[in-house]
Amino acid sequence: MAEAHQTIDGNLLAAKSLAHFGVEHMFGVVGIPVTSFANRAVSLGIRFIAFHNEQSAGYAASAYGYLTHRPGVLLTVSGPGCVHGLAGLSNAMINTWPMVLISGSCDQNDVGRGDFQELDQIEAVKPFSKFSIKAKHVSEIPNAVAQVLHWSTSGRPGGCYLDLPSDLLHQTVTIAEAEKLLSAAETFFVNATPETHVSGIEKTVSLLRNAKRPLIVFGKGAAYSRAENELKKLVESTGIPFLPTPMGKGLISDTHELAATAARSLAIGKCDVAFVIGARLNWLLHFGEPPKWSKDVVFILVDVSEEEIELRKKSVNVGAGLVGDAKCVLESVNKAIKDEPFCLGKSHPWVEELKKKVKDNVVRLEAQLAKDVVPFNFYTPLRIIRDAILAVGSPAPVVVSEGANTMDVGRAVLVQTEPRTRLDAGTWGTMGIGLGYCIAAAVASPGRLVVAVEGDSGFGFSAMEVETLVRYQLPVIVIVFNNGGVYGGDRRSPEEIDGPHKHDPAPTSFVPSAAYHTLIEAFGGKGYLVGTPEELKSALSESFSARKPAVINVIIDPYAGSESGRLQHKN
């Protein structure tokens, strides 16, 4: 009984709250006033991955939420630490991934007096979070922790924020009181699956059954809901071709006979009914509007947010809107189809048309990939990397793709065969996600190799985190496509090279042939410099076998790329 009257401080109570509600990992950068909080969390079994800056740690937390279906937790110091953490929080919000940003803040008695790193952090996070709360007394910590964890996963997932003032972290409660507070807070910790409005199932099945050119489109929302088995059942029972968005790749293998990725333009341009599951009709899908889509296409939309479906009804023809978790919705659709089955069949004109286009485009791509071009263009090294990744087998490596040409060309060349094995710039086209995503993937999926395929510009955002890879000995291989700049070398026209600073490097230029591989060597990792197919194959074979942190610096022709920023589809 004496133990029940002993006291614990806010640092330990906050750590106990996270552990009590199932948090297993945290990412962040410590300092005043949260260092003791982090140490307490580690002592309770929470693995803390310490980064060099909060942006990369935030990107890691956001991707962790996607990969694990549980909130990724980011811990930062106050003021600028919180501001830097907004990069990850906003990334989680726009991608609809569950994440919680926890920041220390100044002593409540000193608010408004210019205290160390003082900032109204609740106001600062508002545009980037779905829910935020400030605990004002130590007794409020368990309740506040439970709420942010709950709200990050409820409905449409997203980012939440918890503010912990420094004075609160030093306040105390008895152990007995702490246990009561934790028990009471459990009422907020409800991670319920969103309800499925089954009223639209019959209409959905009718539209699919009567369509002449149906298409199934799915995105990372379906990946987040773990809907891969239901999707495959739907595709194979109905014979309807499918098109994944970039991060939906792998839910059904890219090698599946009904995959329409290589005929994307034809598929979306001629389909008459599009069943869109866990993907938004935003810029990635050309807003569902002509000229990319037929003006007569009818959409069936599946989303956890009714507001999202209502928004799209204003600009496209929505024949049915199903509000709910993608996995649950598809279970209902598959059950309804089973009662009255239908299947297009391999000889269906629409299936044959798409298969022919896919075959023609794949043949053209493979002819281009078959050439060993030196100095490297983007295709030759990507083919070698693709083959090396496929040779690993299962579990397939998680591929993190970042950059302009590197990501765009890689999207067409690299093959995903398993769910949630592709992470890229996502809905916001965020550059700088690379090393953070790699670390999240390695932590969330410890049995998998992680392979980053990055442009030198994208790598530069988070390059210092190679030290983090080495420190935690994570099985991450970072492949840098080094073409000397953003898109490549100096692309200016003669008339642009003028003015008093005309002798400065171009805004897009970096140091040519920079020795990026030596950066990881400074920390004890392995670096490779490659410029030929044989050198690249050797580096991939050795690094993949070792499963130790490595950077492969691939020298690319600086004039091989082009300016890029949106999805480029020429098929």
Side-chain angles (χ1 to χ4, degrees):
M1 293 297 293
E3 181 180 325
H5 295 290
Q6 292 177 354
T7 61
I8 63 174
D9 67 5
N11 288 298
L12 182 53
L13 183 57
K16 276 182 172 290
S17 299
L18 290 175
H20 184 80
F21 295 120
V23 172
E24 297 177 353
H25 297 93
M26 289 171 59
F27 307 88
V29 179
V30 298
I32 297 171
V34 297
T35 304
S36 181
F37 173 25
N39 287 332
R40 293 290 196 170
V42 172
S43 72
L44 293 176
I46 296 173
R47 191 180 190 194
F48 190 90
I49 308 297
F51 281 69
H52 284 274
N53 78 53
E54 295 91 350
Q55 281 189 318
S56 290
Y59 292 140
S62 68
Y64 179 91
Y66 167 67
L67 292 169
T68 66
H69 212 266
R70 301 191 303 273
V73 178
L74 168 65
L75 180 64
T76 79
V77 300
S78 48
C82 176
V83 170
H84 295 166
L86 294 181
L89 192 68
S90 59
N91 191 63
M93 279 299 294
I94 202 72
N95 283 297
T96 69
W97 295 342
M99 176 185 161
V100 171
L101 167 60
I102 303 176
S103 295
S105 59
C106 73
D107 191 307
Q108 294 176 91
N109 292 326
D110 293 326
V111 171
R113 301 174 62 195
D115 194 22
F116 175 68
Q117 295 187 333
E118 182 182 343
L119 174 69
D120 186 345
Q121 291 162 198
I122 292 291
E123 281 298 313
V125 304
K126 274 186 177 179
F128 311 108
S129 61
K130 60 184 290 190
F131 175 80
S132 59
I133 187 171
K134 181 175 185 174
K136 297 179 180 179
H137 186 269
V138 63
S139 62
E140 297 178 7
I141 290 176
N143 188 301
V145 169
Q147 287 194 67
V148 290
L149 292 173
H150 161 64
W151 285 110
S152 69
T153 57
S154 66
R156 168 167 279 183
C160 292
Y161 174 70
L162 171 59
D163 193 281
L164 296 177
S166 59
D167 55 303
L168 169 149
L169 294 172
H170 299 292
Q171 294 171 1
T172 61
V173 295
T174 65
I175 292 177
E177 185 179 359
E179 293 302 320
K180 290 180 181 178
L181 292 169
L182 288 167
S183 179
E186 289 175 1
T187 57
F188 288 98
F189 196 70
V190 181
N191 190 5
T193 301
E195 289 186 14
T196 299
H197 293 191
V198 295
S199 58
I201 300 296
E202 186 176 331
K203 180 70 177 296
T204 295
V205 175
S206 176
L207 285 168
L208 293 174
R209 177 181 283 111
N210 294 308
K212 294 181 179 178
R213 296 177 301 280
L215 180 69
I216 296 171
V217 181
F218 51 83
K220 61 181 181 290
Y224 176 77
S225 74
R226 276 42 180 181
E228 52 267 21
N229 293 333
E230 290 73 19
L231 269 172
K232 189 175 182 182
K233 182 178 180 180
L234 175 65
V235 165
E236 294 185 345
S237 65
T238 62
I240 298 175
F242 67 88
L243 177 71
T245 63
M247 283 180 60
K249 282 164 62 71
L251 279 177
I252 305 175
S253 176
D254 287 343
T255 61
H256 195 282
E257 62 178 354
L258 288 170
T261 305
R264 185 181 192 274
S265 295
L266 174 64
I268 67 174
K270 292 188 69 174
C271 71
D272 59 352
V273 173
F275 190 11
V276 183
I277 306 159
R280 287 169 282 179
L281 293 179
N282 56 20
W283 69 276
L284 284 160
L285 288 174
H286 314 290
F287 309 105
E289 298 174 347
K292 296 292 186 179
W293 295 83
S294 165
K295 62 181 177 61
D296 298 319
V297 64
V298 177
F299 288 99
I300 305 166
L301 303 181
V302 177
D303 202 285
V304 294
S305 169
E306 186 173 5
E307 289 78 10
E308 172 67 24
I309 294 173
E310 292 302 316
L311 170 67
R312 302 305 168 183
K313 286 181 178 179
K314 297 176 182 178
S315 57
V316 301
N317 182 4
V318 178
L322 304 174
V323 181
D325 174 76
K327 180 181 174 73
C328 295
V329 169
L330 288 174
E331 286 174 348
S332 297
V333 171
N334 283 330
K335 185 177 183 299
I337 289 173
K338 184 180 179 181
D339 294 338
E340 295 183 62
F342 66 92
C343 185
L344 298 190
K346 294 182 179 180
S347 61
H348 190 280
W350 175 233
V351 175
E352 286 191 330
E353 183 179 7
L354 284 174
K355 282 186 176 181
K356 181 180 184 304
K357 186 65 172 177
V358 166
K359 182 179 179 180
D360 291 346
N361 286 340
V362 168
V363 167
R364 281 199 295 271
L365 177 62
E366 289 300 324
Q368 192 170 6
L369 291 171
K371 303 170 186 175
D372 280 343
V373 177
V374 180
F376 278 145
N377 59 11
F378 285 88
Y379 289 95
T380 298
L382 280 168
R383 180 204 78 218
I384 296 168
I385 293 165
R386 176 197 66 183
D387 294 347
I389 289 172
L390 288 173
V392 172
S394 185
V398 175
V399 176
V400 176
S401 186
E402 176 181 28
N405 294 278
T406 306
M407 184 172 66
D408 285 346
V409 179
R411 188 181 294 111
V413 177
L414 301 177
V415 175
Q416 262 64 54
T417 59
E418 294 179 9
R420 294 167 294 281
T421 55
R422 178 182 173 85
L423 297 169
D424 65 22
T427 304
W428 233 6
T430 308
M431 290 295 104
I433 49 87
L435 271 292
Y437 277 18
C438 287
I439 293 166
V443 169
S445 306
R448 294 184 188 268
L449 181 69
V450 180
V451 180
V453 185
E454 306 214 321
D456 49 359
S457 175
F459 177 65
F461 282 85
S462 60
M464 191 62 186
E465 302 302 343
V466 299
E467 187 276 337
T468 309
L469 299 181
V470 176
R471 185 168 13 112
Y472 290 96
Q473 282 297 294
L474 300 175
V476 177
I477 314 302
V478 182
I479 305 168
V480 182
F481 277 46
N482 182 357
N483 61 359
V486 182
Y487 313 122
D490 191 342
R491 303 301 182 87
R492 294 174 296 180
S493 61
E495 58 269 20
E496 291 178 303
I497 306 175
D498 204 355
H501 305 294
K502 63 182 179 182
H503 298 298
D504 276 356
T508 56
S509 295
F510 299 148
V511 171
S513 301
Y516 295 120
H517 57 293
T518 64
L519 180 60
I520 198 168
E521 292 175 345
F523 308 113
K526 180 68 175 178
Y528 301 86
L529 176 64
V530 305
T532 68
E534 293 73 23
E535 290 171 344
L536 179 55
K537 289 175 184 177
S538 175
L540 291 170
S541 176
E542 183 178 313
S543 62
F544 280 21
S545 296
R547 293 195 170 222
K548 298 288 185 181
V551 171
I552 302 175
N553 186 10
V554 184
I555 304 300
I556 305 291
D557 183 342
Y559 299 103
S562 60
E563 186 167 1
S564 171
R566 285 183 178 268
L567 290 175
Q568 303 297 319
H569 294 286
K570 300 177 181 179
N571 49 44

